[in-house]
Amino acid sequence: MVNTQLILQLNEVGIKDVTLVGGKNASLGEMTKHLQPLGINIPDGFATTAEAFRSFLKENNLVAPLNELIHSLDQKEYSNLNAVSKAAKDLLLNAKLPKALVDDITSNYASLCKKFGRQLDVAVRSSATAEDLPTASFAGQHESFLNINGIENVLKAVHQCFASLYNARAIKYRIDNGFDHSKVALSAGIQLMVRSDKSSSGVCFTIEPDSGFKNAIIITGCWGLGENIVQGAVTPDEFHVFKPSIGKFPKAIISKKLGSKTKTLVYQPDGSGTINIETPIEKQKQWTLSNPEIETIAKWALMIEEHYKMPMDIEWAKDGISNQLFIVQARPETVHSLKDPYLVKEYTLKQKGSTLVIGNAVGTGIASGVARLINSPADSDKLKQGEILVTDITNPDWDPILKKAAAIITNKGGRTSHAAIVAREVGAIAIVGANGATDKIKDGDLITVDTSQGKNGYVYSGKAEWTEKNLDFRNMIMPQTKPMLILADPDKSYKLSFYPNQGVGLMRLEFVINNTIKIHPMALVKFNELKDENAKKEIEALTYQYSDKKEYFIDKLSQAIGTIAAAFYPKEVIVRMSDFKTNEYANLLGGKQFEQEEENPMIGFRGASRYYNDRYKEGFKLECEAIKVVRNQMGLTNVKMMIPFCRTVEEGKKVMALMGEYSLKRGENGLEVYVMAEIPSNVILAEEFAKVFDGFSIGSNDLTQLTLGIDRDSNIISDLFDENNKAVKYMIAHVISAAKISDAKIGLCGQAPSDYPEFADFLVSHGIDSISYNPDALIRGIENMNKAEKDLI
């Protein structure tokens, strides 16, 4: 039976009512009806129905002329798309809303105002009856009007929403997605306005939008109205929350990245629309959400996902008057949830030009082409198929042009901006928030866009050389010996979690300390005693959010470890505590004051020797505090510890005793502690070391150098460095045997088993438990392990 009602309250509709009130309003109704009672705040409101829109067309005799206009559209070149759109919208805007509809909107707006005791500001949003389906999002195709006050303005906004069904971008979108124009209707949702102009707002995904990783909730936030995030006008804050820890552990937030948020979109004081104002510097440096607020949004997002039983794309807003958080929209995530993350294309960059700009990577790939600088979608004819679009920001008016681009580069925006979302939808790669791109890249330049290296995307001058390989992980045969990964960069962990693996056999902390933290731990412990004033200023600038400088180190390191641990959870992630040498530590900010020059740092003050020494003891404590945050507060007990370069059994006992003082006791809460087997003493006394530690990881590089007496940094004798040398293999075979006798776990981290099938044969035949590989060597390594196990049988 056809529903003839012109208005429905949001709590009267649900997700099955897309044909009545469109996807957006049906979803809001579903949440109002089923999730608001569970504590999720949804703004109150009502919606016009598809019947209301059809009665509007019918009363004004618009059906036939609209069909004629659409029939006249050039569907090859779309040369008259804008003209057809304007004519159609003019038809609708010059028509009158039916009296019955005007009366219904008027009485429902009055009832809403009465309920809240004042004349309300409302949001009037378009909701098409074919939108937000799992195969097509329609996001941003139609108009929304915010901060609307008074019935005359509400009626005008509803009328404009109706007309926006024939926006040029909406017409093109329907054609691209196979929708019959005459069967799509427009519903307008009239909702209590959340005054995020006085606070903050943003977007939330319940699936990581680039890798398809499902165990993290990604939240972005900016000051003011969320349109700045959608349009890509700002680089927002970004927060990652680990789903399994929500509500179960004190700290489900595994990563926080501060965005610049240079603009704040607010309402004009006279009510005539919105204006983008400069965000004060001190506010740019503040988080848009507190930790409890991040956790609240994540908890709500998880509830929404569980209710809909699919990954969701959600909009949130914080009211600056009441300080309450609200969910203002939720739709199915339409890109990664439909892809198979186990089908991967792997890119290897062989040769590249100079780096022009760096920004946020969207998608994974490399593309080369001519750069085309375009300021407006009106100049879309300038972009030829396969060229690279370079612009400041984009909005939904750009959609038709974006589909021609081999890659998209924008000055502004985050990974949930409009350009990023459309790039994912059309299968293009993008770099958003590439500050200065339109200045540093010239129109007509030949450039290469690389988004294959994790979160950062790079633009290189000229045409780079690279190789591509298609990988299918779905049916890969896994060996009995555990294949594990060697990792250092948290930004790559979500994507790499889909590779065939049994966890992370070696996470190196040095990469994070060097690239993210950048400061010598002791320079944070003894900040007030620093003599280098320049270093002090730089450290002050990096740590301005932390009154206790030590917390900066703990926070950044725990987030990096937590991200990798979450990506591979519940598989084990073995974290090797810091193993810088003195010359490398000295290069960190403030480091020179705390390091002595050594003749041979390779065999000097490194590894375990540092941890209990007064020169570094307090620095090691910071590393231990980060591990405690990850294991005890984030709930990631899959993290194990590994002690590098431990020369003697007594030294091992000292480190374990110190860790006990720092509340990290082996065996408590399932904590396992491994030791690197990389010094001949580790091999000779392996059974003694096995009484102190849970297992070994053979560091083949250091073991080879110290067995053969070779400085691997020396070019003169580098050709003598060989893991296949009989003496090295003897040492490896011996330590594997000793580990087996002691019932201790043993693995190896290194390149040799992937480079040399016979080396994998050797390790497997001696019964090693696991072999860890760099990501680019993993597949070849697994093939070698399978072959070795087959040969053994």
Side-chain angles (χ1 to χ4, degrees):
M1 192 173 78
V2 176
N3 189 305
T4 57
Q5 288 178 268
L6 303 180
I7 297 285
L8 287 167
Q9 301 303 310
L10 286 179
N11 62 11
E12 292 181 300
V13 296
I15 199 61
K16 293 177 181 175
D17 297 316
V18 172
T19 56
L20 289 180
V21 292
K24 191 179 295 178
N25 288 334
S27 182
L28 284 168
E30 180 78 9
M31 291 191 294
T32 303
K33 190 188 292 185
H34 297 289
L35 296 174
Q36 195 162 34
L38 302 179
I40 298 178
N41 293 335
I42 314 290
D44 207 352
F46 60 94
T48 66
T49 63
E51 178 61 24
F53 181 76
R54 292 191 183 103
S55 70
F56 165 64
L57 296 186
K58 191 175 177 183
E59 280 199 22
N60 290 281
N61 298 313
L62 295 176
V63 175
L66 284 171
N67 285 342
E68 283 177 30
L69 276 169
I70 293 298
H71 190 69
S72 71
L73 182 66
D74 166 16
Q75 290 198 27
K76 283 188 178 178
E77 300 294 328
Y78 294 96
S79 57
N80 62 341
L81 175 60
N82 289 331
V84 167
S85 168
K86 184 178 184 306
K89 287 170 72 176
D90 285 347
L91 273 177
L92 272 70
L93 289 170
N94 290 326
K96 285 190 174 181
L97 295 178
K99 182 178 184 304
L101 178 58
V102 170
D103 290 346
D104 276 2
I105 294 171
T106 302
S107 64
N108 277 274
Y109 176 65
S111 296
L112 198 60
C113 292
K114 186 178 178 182
K115 182 177 177 180
F116 287 91
R118 66 182 192 277
Q119 181 162 296
L120 291 177
D121 298 324
V122 291
V124 182
R125 291 188 172 93
S126 299
S127 178
T129 58
E131 75 178 332
D132 295 343
L133 302 179
T135 52
S137 76
F138 265 17
Q141 301 303 317
H142 310 110
E143 302 301 339
S144 290
F145 301 92
L146 305 176
N147 204 35
I148 304 299
N149 191 288
I151 189 57
E152 291 304 319
N153 290 325
V154 170
L155 291 167
K156 183 181 174 186
V158 169
H159 199 160
Q160 288 175 305
C161 282
F162 283 3
S164 74
L165 188 64
Y166 286 88
N167 282 342
R169 59 185 184 250
I171 294 170
K172 179 75 164 55
Y173 194 91
R174 288 196 292 275
I175 292 167
D176 289 344
N177 287 279
F179 292 116
D180 184 335
H181 300 278
S182 65
K183 290 181 181 173
V184 179
L186 202 293
S187 161
I190 295 92
Q191 235 184 337
L192 182 68
M193 186 69 217
V194 179
R195 293 303 304 266
S196 58
D197 60 305
K198 294 179 178 292
S199 185
S200 59
S201 58
V203 177
C204 172
F205 285 99
T206 65
I207 184 173
E208 202 281 322
D210 286 313
S211 66
F213 179 70
K214 291 183 179 177
N215 252 357
I217 288 170
I218 315 301
I219 301 168
T220 58
C222 68
W223 296 117
L225 301 171
E227 196 65 13
N228 267 347
I229 288 182
V230 177
Q231 304 285 7
V234 297
T235 301
D237 294 340
E238 188 172 311
F239 313 105
H240 293 215
V241 186
F242 185 51
K243 286 182 189 174
S245 292
I246 294 172
K248 295 173 187 169
F249 290 93
K251 192 174 187 179
I253 302 162
I254 53 172
S255 170
K256 293 171 71 174
K257 184 180 178 184
L258 192 74
S260 54
K261 310 178 296 289
T262 51
K263 300 280 186 184
T264 302
L265 190 64
V266 297
Y267 298 122
Q268 293 271 28
D270 61 4
S272 61
T274 57
I275 182 171
N276 237 341
I277 60 171
E278 296 289 329
T279 309
I281 293 294
E282 63 273 13
K283 210 166 179 189
Q284 290 180 34
K285 293 181 175 183
Q286 290 173 20
W287 298 110
T288 46
L289 291 167
S290 67
N291 285 356
E293 287 170 337
I294 297 165
E295 301 248 8
T296 295
I297 292 172
K299 183 177 77 173
W300 288 354
L302 188 57
M303 289 164 70
I304 292 167
E305 180 183 62
E306 286 171 350
H307 179 79
Y308 283 89
K309 296 181 173 56
M310 65 181 75
M312 299 295 287
D313 171 357
I314 298 163
E315 292 180 21
W316 64 268
K318 183 180 177 184
D319 192 297
I321 299 168
S322 69
N323 284 326
Q324 279 190 300
L325 290 167
F326 289 86
I327 298 298
V328 294
Q329 198 169 311
R331 64 175 78 86
E333 194 278 337
T334 55
V335 179
H336 249 100
S337 54
L338 300 175
K339 287 186 177 177
D340 187 340
Y342 297 98
L343 290 173
V344 174
K345 185 172 273 193
E346 194 171 72
Y347 297 82
T348 306
L349 201 61
K350 297 289 187 186
Q351 193 175 334
K352 64 181 192 289
S354 58
T355 303
L356 300 174
V357 285
I358 301 171
N360 299 302
V362 177
T364 302
I366 304 177
S368 230
V370 171
R372 197 58 66 204
L373 269 68
I374 295 179
N375 298 320
S376 159
D379 300 325
S380 62
D381 57 316
K382 292 181 182 174
L383 183 79
K384 303 292 179 271
Q385 191 75 35
E387 291 185 333
I388 295 169
L389 172 68
V390 185
T391 191
D392 189 45
I393 61 171
T394 67
N395 60 40
D397 289 327
W398 288 77
D399 286 8
I401 182 174
L402 295 179
K403 291 170 185 177
K404 291 198 286 185
I408 302 157
I409 304 167
T410 63
N411 287 331
K412 299 169 184 167
R415 295 191 309 128
T416 53
S417 66
H418 171 264
I421 290 167
V422 174
R424 291 187 193 102
E425 282 194 358
V426 301
I429 58 172
I431 299 178
V432 295
N435 191 26
T438 51
D439 294 326
K440 294 168 186 171
I441 301 168
K442 305 302 177 197
D443 190 69
D445 280 357
L446 182 62
I447 59 171
T448 299
V449 178
D450 177 13
T451 63
S452 69
Q453 299 184 50
K455 273 190 183 175
N456 283 339
Y458 301 85
V459 181
Y460 306 115
S461 61
K463 181 172 170 48
E465 289 180 25
W466 71 90
T467 57
E468 297 178 14
K469 192 198 304 184
N470 290 313
L471 304 173
D472 183 351
F473 302 144
R474 291 170 305 184
N475 302 308
M476 184 162 278
I477 297 164
M478 294 290 276
Q480 291 295 310
T481 311
K482 285 184 175 181
M484 301 179 83
L485 281 159
I486 299 171
L487 271 187
D489 185 354
D491 291 347
K492 296 180 180 178
S493 58
Y494 292 154
K495 179 189 166 194
L496 292 172
S497 71
F498 292 105
Y499 280 47
N501 71 83
Q502 291 294 331
V504 176
L506 172 64
M507 181 198 167
R508 299 189 186 104
L509 293 192
E510 294 78 31
F511 176 91
V512 177
I513 295 170
N514 232 339
N515 292 278
T516 303
I517 296 172
K518 302 177 182 177
I519 305 167
H520 194 291
M522 293 304 294
L524 294 165
V525 171
K526 297 182 180 288
F527 179 73
N528 294 328
E529 299 172 32
L530 275 182
K531 295 168 186 169
D532 185 336
E533 287 301 322
N534 288 332
K536 206 168 184 178
K537 279 181 191 170
E538 285 186 66
I539 293 169
E540 195 73 79
L542 283 170
T543 62
Y544 68 89
Q545 289 182 316
Y546 300 83
S547 53
D548 181 348
K549 303 297 177 194
K550 298 191 290 293
E551 284 300 318
Y552 168 82
F553 187 94
I554 297 165
D555 200 26
K556 296 291 184 190
L557 189 59
S558 64
Q559 287 180 36
I561 298 168
T563 299
I564 291 177
F568 290 89
Y569 183 85
K571 298 171 185 172
E572 68 180 357
V573 171
I574 301 172
V575 177
R576 186 181 72 188
M577 307 309 279
S578 68
D579 191 26
F580 279 131
K581 295 174 275 296
T582 47
N583 55 327
E584 293 165 335
Y585 266 118
N587 287 332
L588 293 168
L589 274 174
K592 288 184 174 61
Q593 186 173 326
F594 303 98
E595 300 297 334
Q596 286 187 339
E597 283 191 28
E598 292 184 294
E599 283 297 321
N600 193 342
M602 186 72 81
I603 52 173
F605 186 45
R606 63 179 281 204
S609 306
R610 299 184 71 91
Y611 301 159
Y612 58 86
N613 189 293
D614 286 340
R615 289 175 175 273
Y616 190 75
K617 188 177 177 181
E618 289 173 276
F620 180 61
K621 184 178 182 181
L622 300 187
E623 296 180 34
C624 290
E625 290 297 327
I627 295 285
K628 278 162 59 181
V629 168
V630 174
R631 286 180 51 84
N632 302 343
Q633 294 184 41
M634 296 178 181
L636 293 160
T637 51
N638 58 323
V639 165
K640 321 288 168 135
M641 297 173 71
M642 183 149 66
I643 306 303
F645 225 78
C646 185
R647 293 172 168 94
T648 68
V649 175
E650 290 70 29
E651 191 166 59
K653 289 176 180 175
K654 279 186 183 178
V655 173
M656 296 298 276
L658 185 61
M659 283 168 50
E661 287 178 34
Y662 297 155
S663 302
L664 281 171
K665 292 182 181 174
R666 178 185 167 207
E668 272 191 15
N669 199 17
L671 177 63
E672 292 181 3
V673 186
Y674 293 76
V675 66
M676 292 291 292
E678 54 192 343
I679 305 170
S681 62
N682 301 145
V683 177
I684 296 161
L685 298 177
E687 290 178 52
E688 292 296 311
F689 276 98
K691 293 172 185 173
V692 181
F693 297 97
D694 292 288
F696 300 90
S697 180
I698 302 165
S700 57
N701 283 343
D702 271 348
L703 189 58
T704 301
Q705 109 171 312
L706 294 171
T707 300
L708 299 178
I710 290 172
D711 179 354
R712 69 175 194 258
D713 287 345
S714 169
N715 291 328
I716 303 169
I717 52 171
S718 60
D719 58 320
L720 293 173
F721 186 94
D722 181 14
E723 301 101 317
N724 278 302
N725 183 280
K726 279 184 183 179
V728 177
K729 281 189 165 180
Y730 174 84
M731 299 294 274
I732 292 172
H734 185 83
V735 76
I736 294 172
S737 174
K740 293 293 170 188
I741 292 166
S742 305
D743 200 26
K745 297 174 185 174
I746 186 155
L748 179 138
C749 324
Q751 194 72 17
S754 53
D755 288 349
Y756 310 112
E758 68 276 11
F759 201 90
D761 257 334
F762 159 72
L763 292 172
V764 169
S765 67
H766 281 81
I768 199 159
D769 296 317
S770 66
I771 303 174
S772 300
Y773 302 93
N774 287 313
D776 62 349
L778 178 67
I779 306 305
R780 191 166 65 248
I782 289 173
E783 289 168 355
N784 289 345
M785 289 163 81
N786 280 328
K787 182 180 178 299
E789 288 183 356
K790 193 176 176 184
D791 291 346
L792 194 61
I793 293 166

